[in-house]
Amino acid sequence: AMTMLLGGSQVGFDAAGAWEVQSRVETALTQTLGRTPTDEEIADEMGKPVDTIQALRRVAAGELSLDAP
């Protein structure tokens, strides 16, 4: 587990594992809702605060950036 400081809020999590869970939840909600779920809906389903979901998105975006060294 790691603790990261993102957007002024400290969030502790295993980023890879949490992103995998978030991805599965988002896929399931997309199928159920017939549309892309909001961050709030994903957070509710995962039992996590919305800022954690948003932090995971920022981490994933940073890891997937083509501009990253």
Side-chain angles (χ1 to χ4, degrees):
M2 60 192 275
T3 300
M4 304 186 88
L5 186 60
L6 298 169
S9 62
Q10 199 171 30
V11 181
F13 56 89
D14 169 8
W19 175 249
E20 183 177 328
V21 171
Q22 179 175 333
S23 180
R24 284 195 309 253
V25 167
E26 186 170 351
T27 298
L29 284 172
T30 298
Q31 292 173 352
T32 300
L33 299 171
R35 61 172 171 77
T36 302
T38 65
D39 288 347
E40 290 80 9
E41 290 167 330
I42 295 168
D44 286 345
E45 186 68 23
M46 291 180 67
K48 301 285 183 192
V50 174
D51 65 337
T52 298
I53 303 307
Q54 294 167 342
L56 284 169
R57 288 194 190 283
R58 286 193 300 273
V59 168
E63 291 174 353
L64 299 176
S65 173
L66 296 177
D67 296 327

